[in-house]
Amino acid sequence: MLRLKSPGHNRLFQTGILEATFGGGEANVAVSLAQFGMEARFLTALPDNDIGQACLRELRGFGVDVSGIIFVKGGRMGIYFLEAGANQRPSKVIYDREHSVIADLPPGSINFEKALAGCGWLHITGITPAISASAAELALEAVKTAKKLNMTVSCDLNYRKNLWKYGKSAQEVMSELTGYADVIIANEEDCQKSLGISADVSVESGELCVEAYESIASQVMARYPQVKYIAITMRESKSADHNDWSACLFGRESMYVSKKYRITDIVDRVGGGDSFAAGLIYGLNTYAEPREALEFAVAASGLKHSINGDYNRVSVAEVEKLMKGDGSGRVQR
Amino acid sequence: MLRLKSPGHNRLFQTGILEATFGGGEANVAVSLAQFGMEARFLTALPDNDIGQACLRELRGFGVDVSGIIFVKGGRMGIYFLEAGANQRPSKVIYDREHSVIADLPPGSINFEKALAGCGWLHITGITPAISASAAELALEAVKTAKKLNMTVSCDLNYRKNLWKYGKSAQEVMSELTGYADVIIANEEDCQKSLGISADVSVESGELCVEAYESIASQVMARYPQVKYIAITMRESKSADHNDWSACLFGRESMYVSKKYRITDIVDRVGGGDSFAAGLIYGLNTYAEPREALEFAVAASGLKHSINGDYNRVSVAEVEKLMKGDGSGRVQR
Amino acid sequence: MLRLKSPGHNRLFQTGILEATFGGGEANVAVSLAQFGMEARFLTALPDNDIGQACLRELRGFGVDVSGIIFVKGGRMGIYFLEAGANQRPSKVIYDREHSVIADLPPGSINFEKALAGCGWLHITGITPAISASAAELALEAVKTAKKLNMTVSCDLNYRKNLWKYGKSAQEVMSELTGYADVIIANEEDCQKSLGISADVSVESGELCVEAYESIASQVMARYPQVKYIAITMRESKSADHNDWSACLFGRESMYVSKKYRITDIVDRVGGGDSFAAGLIYGLNTYAEPREALEFAVAASGLKHSINGDYNRVSVAEVEKLMKGDGSGRVQR
Amino acid sequence: MLRLKSPGHNRLFQTGILEATFGGGEANVAVSLAQFGMEARFLTALPDNDIGQACLRELRGFGVDVSGIIFVKGGRMGIYFLEAGANQRPSKVIYDREHSVIADLPPGSINFEKALAGCGWLHITGITPAISASAAELALEAVKTAKKLNMTVSCDLNYRKNLWKYGKSAQEVMSELTGYADVIIANEEDCQKSLGISADVSVESGELCVEAYESIASQVMARYPQVKYIAITMRESKSADHNDWSACLFGRESMYVSKKYRITDIVDRVGGGDSFAAGLIYGLNTYAEPREALEFAVAASGLKHSINGDYNRVSVAEVEKLMKGDGSGRVQR
Amino acid sequence: MLRLKSPGHNRLFQTGILEATFGGGEANVAVSLAQFGMEARFLTALPDNDIGQACLRELRGFGVDVSGIIFVKGGRMGIYFLEAGANQRPSKVIYDREHSVIADLPPGSINFEKALAGCGWLHITGITPAISASAAELALEAVKTAKKLNMTVSCDLNYRKNLWKYGKSAQEVMSELTGYADVIIANEEDCQKSLGISADVSVESGELCVEAYESIASQVMARYPQVKYIAITMRESKSADHNDWSACLFGRESMYVSKKYRITDIVDRVGGGDSFAAGLIYGLNTYAEPREALEFAVAASGLKHSINGDYNRVSVAEVEKLMKGDGSGRVQR
Amino acid sequence: MLRLKSPGHNRLFQTGILEATFGGGEANVAVSLAQFGMEARFLTALPDNDIGQACLRELRGFGVDVSGIIFVKGGRMGIYFLEAGANQRPSKVIYDREHSVIADLPPGSINFEKALAGCGWLHITGITPAISASAAELALEAVKTAKKLNMTVSCDLNYRKNLWKYGKSAQEVMSELTGYADVIIANEEDCQKSLGISADVSVESGELCVEAYESIASQVMARYPQVKYIAITMRESKSADHNDWSACLFGRESMYVSKKYRITDIVDRVGGGDSFAAGLIYGLNTYAEPREALEFAVAASGLKHSINGDYNRVSVAEVEKLMKGDGSGRVQR
């Protein structure tokens, strides 16, 4: 997606300037993984014009493998307009993503066996199946092929209430998709909204309760026997500038609650969840202990809140430094 | 439309900045007329979100009467991306205007009798009927109502080869629309492309021939007996920075060729044709002589080439100063 | 007034850039009310040059009724230079507003009966009568006419120690003006400085005492029997970035203390008081309960601290969302 | 003066940004001379606030001797707003310089004997005496003292039709001032407007006639027997972007016409005349031949047209390179 | 190299902003070729810090194969500071490239047999051997290996008078290097300065003489029997804004003189020569006729003058459109 | 040094813009002192190009005496690249300062007797002797001459772990240099790293212990009998945005601990230590009581954290206002 943000804390169109970058769930994860030094291939469809080419150039610059991207003549790229909130004023997103090439791409357009060849892990989010019936179909094709190829599948539920307009409900689609996932990533409300598994967690209260998540995780594990890990991010939103950020990870036999980061001067929280997903994938592929994977993921996504743009522009060394306890912010020279 | 331009002479996405303003054929004419001190009402549909509101704010700021604008929930505004050319490199426009609220507005949505009440002149361009079948229908409703209300109708043919994708050809639609016009405005190739009336004029050659336009005008006048004036702008495009700019005006009995302006350091030529149309409307309503109306229109649109953005931000005094011969560019202090 | 601000937290002239917008007490209130969907007419005098025209364009864009603005040939607009503070470094304003057209406008220049025709409420601030003897005279003419027309009059005392240079003291002038007000708005020190009614409140201490304000309000009510409401904003200034913000409203029989907002990352606090006044006017005209009017006003002005520029660019829906308790700052998408 | 310019070719307030620099006749000359390596002292009055301090900092940075500047508490600095023209659209200046500290400085405020001690040359322009009666008085005090101290006096007539509002005419004041000048600098129309000495030169025509200037120079020399040199700049204004630039120098016995520079892509022509004056002062103090002084002055001021801001940021080496014929614009590396 | 340019036409450090991009001879050629859709591998050494990584990201984004780039701990990247000239004021480059990692890389550091594996063409410029003795040594190793691998070698002589400080002269080194080249590229003065082959061509005169180049080409061909083509670019520098641009190509049996482009509004001419080299390499590999290769190269580099930055951000389609005659600059929409 | 910073909180090269200013230990102190109204002469070497000239212009603008600066043909200025951290992400500095003219300046190049003539105080930092053996030599020459001239010498130990690469250790050099100092300034870890005097203080912990500093101060005083004062700044780094800031001052007989400032929204903390040093020098020269000197220094450097750039752009009045307790950040108008 093309992201068009008003500068600083200005409201949309308060000045005549928009900051134009690219972003979006799976792209953010791919960039994060490439930044961490992993091989990451990104599958999508882009319009065959200067906008699609600019997006390609940015992703390729980060080292993402773009060989699987399909270019479509005459289409458009989804856009989202963003203004950054402050204090009690929330950040605001206006979507203009209908009729994008990825939304209109017919099922069967991607040869997933070829596109996924040589890969060991597939990551998908709940945003793609939310944008159109055909995109949901493609998402299903992807996870089915991945399982056929013995790949690990992770799914970030990522519920967006303003999408899901094409006739099917989130629960209907995501329940099926989740049946192919080895690792599930969710935030405080995703399981409820996407899978219909409830817990007494009010998003607005700002108070989070690990016990409730434990109950949710048990229910998910019971329903989906192939799931190995469920990770839940816990955002305590004090204001648009101040969030506390932590997560918990549930395995079949174990459960971990991460350190909590107090983030009082948020630079940009969009993409925070994606940076967590990328951190978790990196961590589960790198560290011996799930606890370390979780701590890496939380530290990585904690740092994301201090970085402009959708992408998490940090290195493994920077994440590990924080993960090991140095969050003092002292000048590095 | 939302206009997103890369700064200066940069190619699109060469920097992370886009300049966001609003524009589009009829809007540009309305703003020009309001700048000239005329009452101008603009009829369109806008999405009911921050983007539509920002557009409304801008138009209203210029003094355009926005009371007839319809707001549509959930829709989108058309977008065009622009990069400014230089020397032999042409400026480039990428349209992302499909599925805009105006394109999707059903025929009959606007009560034109009410919307046009109290107005004496209706101006329409060939862009609106080019974007969708329903927009073409609405355009026809507008001109028919205008004639019923004894209003003068002007039509800027404004052929755009990358529009007209919905099934009907430009000639098919514009031939009918032209049947309601009192004043026709066209550039070197519009009559040919929109009305199928040919003349030996090659756009690329940069050499323009008034005789050919005379022949075209005669043919148009013969075919459309209600037409009172045909104005043709003549752009001699030496490079992206240097155009020579003039126009001719054909009446039933008379013909005028304007002064020619040598514009060697173009700031922004988008909206040049619209500023001519507005100048002509102002002129025909203000001056006793058609020749003066033509000279006002050419001077106004000549000045437009020195002004950023779609809108022609000039006053009557500035246009008349140039029209009367002072093009020396001496500092005014 | 033309507001010229150095970008970000830079000191004045630290870079070669100034951000140019418009603002000023009554203008800010008018824009706020128009944003809230009320009809708002703004009365002032502007210089008849590009600066005055730009100001007009901005106000009209917001939907403010500008039909009553007087244009003066050859005059100047007042200017204020602003730099934003941070932490212990305060924001700084340099006024260059002497000899502005509004300051030099002779008494009697405005036909207030005509200018106020059809209006139900007049709002005035203590800044206008502070800039010149003639402006004070005009302010008196305005309130007298308003009362004659049975309008409600509100007055924001708004004491500015660097104004009041023309010979009369604030107390002298404001005491008379207050005699025509139905609603009085003040901050912690205004009553003392503008009306000479004292209370033990030290502005610098950062600790505010509602009891003291109760005592002040009683004294004001006693002295001015026509006054129906006195609203006092309470700014607890911890640093240039962190203010706590609340207010109290005193009626003849009742008293309300609002919620307090903790604003730790101020974007721009200039115009905060004006946004409170506008919120209160909106609230008193909209809600059944004074308490609701107060809470709306405090929430509206609390949000203002998160918005650049003098104007409070928020909608009723946004204010009511905060007023009803959602200050979590969660991304709206 | 504080110079506030809209960026690029934008009209004033088209964007929310103004570029803030400092400038003004005598200041520009002083900076130019300092850039050329001469000792230059600048005498003026500035307001004792952040604006005056910023101006001081800029001038001192260029190496101008600022020890003679007077700071006045509570005053204001003159401002001019500038937009850059293009093609047939002229650049535009809006003055807001009334009631500045220099305009209001009483005669006798400067001890010129002390302020000019150790200096050999006094330069003054026709702008200072145009702003107020007291400034005209101070200007006279300055030239009288300079002559008493046996300094050379140069005067740039610099007629501005929008100044001279305080009761005296330009001719009245400038005729007396010119009686103390050794060197007079003028443009095509200055002698006529400032001294009432006429010649058949129309500024608007763009065609310049050296013979007419010869006649003017003879008349001036006849009237003012102490005058040694008269320099007249000849600007042929083809458009706001394209001026041809040359000058002639008349001595008692001789006359020189300079090379003519074709400047087709003007960056900023404000300050062009001041840069000529500085070049001439440098040249007459440096070169043996008046012809060389003239060529240096024309080359220096020709270069000024390629430089943003009032100041001529060029070195002697750069001017001499052009003066000796290298105007090819080849990259220097 | 890191390129730090003052914005617009500002002199260096006139504002507090520098535009930071990357560039440099061979990098520019590689980016151009990648833009044209060819596979292009770039060999260099970069410092292993954020600056080197940013350069890598940019090159990789353009699709350049960066697998052969060597990262060096603790080193620095060469920098050049650039200000853009205008009219008679030339653009200016300040080099800060001593002690860069590429300048200090010891001979033998690159395994050229491996680095060049699979490539068919090696391009080198005269800048690399100019920066240090070791870089000259590496350049020689490169061309020798290329010839061993039966690759075609092209060499852009690219004489820079401010380099060549390490003890050897340009002629000494370039004479040897040229002995391995199949294609030589030069500007008007390169052959003289780099190879000592003289012709009566004065760079400053702005008049160019094809006959002189023919004589030079004959001499080069006679001295270097392996050379197949010599291409000479002809820049007629009228001013910093206006250059005429053409080239000639000499084969063993034939000679071609290209169309000449009149470029009157230069946006950025740095990298013009590199874009010619890339165009020629593309052309000689693509078209049947050398004449076409030459015309492609001149059109491509002509377009470069209209594009900001070192890189020539144009497509083959854009170049071919101009090459086939459409230089009218009409808006593409 | 030239300081190149990415805008706002962006990572280096995240946008194509760098903010270019100047700074560096001793320069920052000199500018601070000049801002406080003291006479300050700055001794250094600069390259004789536009970069050196720009630096000179900036320093001279602040009123620093630049008469002692040496210009070196052909050299380079040291550069540091800076990105601003946020929350747990630290600010980052990349040095590119090797081979700068000051690093390569041979011992004996400065006639210190002449350069220091008329001065009463010499301030030096531990950065200069860290960059090269010759710079260390020059530093020693400076302090020896200063003592010979009976000047007071202050030394800010300023340990930088990434410098000190030329063969000698910090302890080796600084131990000797300290032998000439009357006043020593250090941060929490400097004494340990520069002088080898240890205390149980961990920088990362964020908890500071005055007792430990007392012990360190005693040891320093014991070893260096000429030392009169040791000042230690205490930075409690909670995050990149939030530091608590205080200091203590040890005399031979006395000890003072300053107020502590809670700085929760850091704008720029680079130069904080230098602003403390300048404040202490000003204070010891101005106030009767060492305690006041300390409080002035802490307040001055506390304010520095709210100001962009290396320099502390504050006045004595602003510092004294904070020093006397007003840190409420209320708008000054």
Side-chain angles (χ1 to χ4, degrees), chain B residues 87-88, chain D residues 328-331, chain E residues 234-246 260-266 269 305:
Chain B
N87 302 301
Q88 290 78 20
Chain D
S328 71
R330 292 201 160 246
V331 179
Chain E
M234 298 184 291
R235 181 183 300 281
E236 293 168 73
S237 208
K238 313 291 191 187
S239 76
D241 292 290
H242 178 187
N243 287 184
D244 287 350
W245 179 251
S246 59
K260 182 191 286 189
Y261 294 100
R262 195 167 171 266
I263 307 171
T264 59
D265 295 82
I266 292 175
R269 50 143 291 185
H305 292 73

Side-chain angles (χ1 to χ4, degrees), chain B residues 53-65:
Chain B
Q53 289 297 330
C55 179
L56 177 81
R57 201 159 57 229
E58 188 168 285
L59 293 169
R60 190 167 49 192
F62 280 111
V64 173
D65 176 348

Side-chain angles (χ1 to χ4, degrees), chain D residues 180-198:
Chain D
Y180 297 90
D182 302 281
V183 178
I184 291 178
I185 298 161
N187 68 18
E188 317 93 47
E189 55 168 5
D190 282 343
C191 289
Q192 202 163 344
K193 301 289 175 56
S194 294
L195 303 179
I197 290 173
S198 75

Side-chain angles (χ1 to χ4, degrees), chain C residues 181-204:
Chain C
D182 302 282
V183 179
I184 289 177
I185 299 161
N187 69 17
E188 318 92 44
E189 54 167 4
D190 283 340
C191 290
Q192 201 163 343
K193 301 287 176 57
S194 295
L195 304 179
I197 291 173
S198 74
D200 294 335
V201 178
S202 160
V203 170
E204 312 292 323

Side-chain angles (χ1 to χ4, degrees), chain C residues 46-63:
Chain C
L46 293 176
D48 191 13
N49 60 20
D50 290 356
I51 306 168
Q53 289 297 330
C55 179
L56 177 81
R57 202 160 57 231
E58 188 168 286
L59 293 170
R60 188 166 52 190
F62 279 111

